[in-house]
Amino acid sequence: MTSILSQLGALASGPVPDAVRAGIPSRIIDIVGIAVRASSLDTSQAVVEFAADQGSAPQATPIGGGQTMSAAEAAFVNGVLAHSLDYDDTHLPSILHPSASVVPASLAAAEWKGVPGATLIDAVAVGLEVTVRLGMGGYDHRARQSVYFERGQHATSICGAVGSAAAAARLLGADADGIAHAMGIACSMGSGIIEANRAGGTVKRLHCGWAARAGVTAAQLAVRGITGPPTAVEGRFGLFQAFLGNQADVEAVTADLGERWEAENIFYKPYPANHFTHTGIDAAIALRSRGVGPDDIATATLEVAPPTVRTIGEPIEVKRKPESGYHAQFSGPYTVAAGLLGGNGLGVGLADFTDELACDPVRRELMARIDVVGDPRLMAIYPCQLPARLTVTTASGHTVVEERLANRGGPDQPLSDSELSTKFADNTAGLVADSVSSRIYDALSGLTAAPSVSGLLAPLVDPIGKQP
């Protein structure tokens, strides 16, 4: 039987359907905009300083880094930035974030090698497909849950390291065997636990950066002759056994490979918060549009699929009192409150997740009236969608319900080009000059015809906020 890596290597070295390629520039635009916005965070400054301390050849651009770095270090910095706001896209039902590692790894390798824009697009596409396919290998159809997640592992960084390796190796000129070796090497580099989702800490922001760095590093080693085991995924001591035990779905990785592209099922995030909160935000916005305001609410109950409660609703006393804007992004009560109060961006935006607002007495008083519970009936939809039902009992004793069964930003409710453009502009506003933002947006939109991607991110190398 042909190994999984051999099959993925063949896919990653082959042609990409036009329909898949057409959606990739928007993925890159989305990640670059998010990275710009995240560049001013304290954690971002810390990783820039860390990467600069490593001392490396000037090969690629770290956004806001002040200097070019090695491709691996630039991929690390940009991957951290891309995942730091929880604004990056999500694949369902695997529930992982593929673009935040694959795009930074691909941009760094592509810039270093000066490949055409079309070559970058193809590399991102195959990297995304490898990432989500490995994620699907950890999806339990009967339990309707990610096995990685259930075991406390971050599939985003584990699978992202391997997908990033596939993309980077393609950009470095590796053939199918070389790409397979790069992925096999990266299988020894994938890691990440998600306790920070529950208990706090900023380490989760590093995960996509480390995956991107691992992918570029694995590709660089593979093209120099380092090899990985051919059965690094499905072998007795391979990635699946290590992370999933006997719960791996090997068939899901290779089923209709090359014919059906899972990368087309990646959801954009309209709101900068954990994806489990989004339909609750939509329901809250809908209630507000019906005239239901915070003062009208005696109690509110957000019903979601039971597996998501632990992330956005437990412990409820903690979720009702987030300590920071970052923690608020994982709070069902806070995100519902933000939707009810009215927000920025595409309905609830970056300006709604500040440390000050997380501790705002008015919001905390509203959060105290909001509960989060699991409804087993929603499991019929979850996790192909992340549905929610918001039930409000008003001060006058009436009951008002809003239900949202499909996520905005997914294939069933895609964001328009205008909405994606608005998101990019919102992410870059106030941090880079409008002329720089427009130049980057136009250049990324025209990637298909770009003769080279070298210098593509050059306008963003200077410290953010200090650019002309």
Side-chain angles (χ1 to χ4, degrees):
M1 178 182 293
T2 305
S3 73
I4 287 177
L5 287 183
S6 292
Q7 295 179 65
L8 292 177
L11 173 89
S13 62
V16 177
D18 288 342
V20 177
R21 298 182 83 253
I24 299 302
S26 292
R27 298 284 170 201
I28 299 173
I29 289 169
D30 192 47
I31 291 298
V32 169
I34 294 166
V36 169
R37 174 54 58 178
S39 63
S40 59
L41 297 173
D42 290 344
T43 49
S44 300
Q45 296 304 308
V47 299
V48 166
E49 291 173 8
F50 167 83
D53 283 349
Q54 306 315 300
S56 56
Q59 297 170 337
T61 302
I63 292 174
Q67 63 186 45
T68 53
M69 299 175 176
S70 73
E73 296 300 343
F76 171 60
V77 170
N78 292 343
V80 172
L81 271 56
H83 194 52
S84 287
L85 297 174
D86 274 279
Y87 213 177
D88 46 317
D89 57 27
T90 307
H91 175 263
L92 298 177
S94 67
I95 316 180
L96 56 73
H97 309 285
S99 293
S101 56
V102 171
V103 169
S106 300
L107 282 169
E111 181 180 358
W112 175 29
K113 293 301 179 182
V115 301
T119 303
L120 169 61
I121 288 171
D122 287 343
V124 171
V126 299
L128 294 177
E129 188 68 14
V130 168
T131 300
V132 298
R133 286 285 180 159
L134 292 175
M136 288 299 294
Y139 173 58
D140 185 335
H141 288 266
R142 288 173 297 180
R144 294 181 179 272
Q145 181 58 286
S146 166
V147 180
Y148 294 105
F149 194 94
E150 285 295 303
R151 294 164 69 110
Q153 297 155 354
H154 199 190
T156 291
S157 52
I158 295 165
C159 304
V162 185
S164 295
R170 177 168 177 146
L171 288 163
L172 297 188
D175 60 11
D177 289 340
I179 295 174
H181 282 302
M183 291 188 289
I185 296 167
C187 283
S188 286
M189 298 178 171
S191 62
I193 60 171
I194 54 174
E195 180 65 5
N197 277 6
R198 191 187 71 85
T202 55
V203 64
K204 179 176 173 286
R205 291 179 173 179
L206 303 182
H207 287 183
C208 287
W210 207 250
R213 189 185 196 280
V216 173
T217 301
Q220 291 173 318
L221 292 170
V223 298
R224 288 172 168 83
I226 303 297
T227 59
T231 53
V233 173
E234 75 276 25
R236 172 64 181 85
F237 301 109
L239 184 146
F240 278 176
Q241 176 61 31
F243 291 110
L244 305 173
N246 62 1
Q247 295 178 276
D249 185 352
V250 174
E251 176 63 22
V253 182
T254 57
D256 302 322
L257 192 64
E259 299 176 14
R260 172 176 52 81
W261 284 69
E262 282 290 336
E264 293 187 287
N265 295 323
I266 299 172
F267 288 55
Y268 286 102
K269 279 190 175 183
Y271 314 120
N274 181 273
H275 225 138
F276 294 159
T277 70
H278 282 212
T279 46
I281 292 172
D282 287 334
I285 291 172
L287 281 177
R288 179 164 55 88
S289 71
R290 292 170 61 180
V292 178
D295 293 339
D296 299 317
I297 296 170
T299 62
T301 300
L302 177 65
E303 295 172 274
V304 293
T308 69
V309 175
R310 74 193 75 180
T311 299
I312 67 171
E314 293 178 352
I316 189 61
E317 61 273 13
V318 173
K319 297 301 181 180
R320 285 172 175 159
K321 296 180 179 180
E323 297 177 358
S324 67
Y326 182 66
H327 294 143
Q329 293 172 309
F330 297 87
S331 166
Y334 182 89
T335 49
V336 166
L340 288 167
L341 290 164
N344 298 273
L346 297 179
V348 169
L350 292 158
D352 301 304
F353 290 93
T354 64
D355 293 348
E356 292 75 18
L357 286 177
C359 300
D360 175 56
V362 173
R363 295 194 177 216
R364 290 215 166 171
E365 195 279 330
L366 178 55
M367 284 187 273
R369 291 177 267 150
I370 301 172
D371 201 4
V372 181
V373 301
D375 180 355
R377 293 172 295 177
L378 296 177
M379 290 299 290
I381 301 169
Y382 174 89
C384 293
Q385 301 284 346
L386 306 174
R389 184 182 306 109
L390 183 59
T391 302
V392 167
T393 300
T394 67
S396 60
H398 293 91
T399 299
V400 187
V401 180
E402 277 290 342
E403 186 175 73
R404 289 294 180 270
L405 302 181
N407 282 74
R408 184 182 179 193
D412 293 336
Q413 293 187 41
L415 296 183
S416 66
D417 289 344
S418 176
E419 287 173 319
L420 288 168
S421 176
T422 296
K423 180 180 175 181
F424 181 83
D426 189 42
N427 277 326
T428 59
L431 294 178
V432 299
D434 290 346
S435 58
V436 173
S437 178
S438 296
R439 195 188 333 160
I440 295 293
Y441 185 88
D442 291 344
L444 293 173
S445 297
L447 269 180
T448 302
S452 171
V453 298
S454 290
L456 187 69
L457 299 183
L460 300 176
V461 70
D462 293 328
I464 299 298
K466 298 181 181 179
Q467 301 184 51

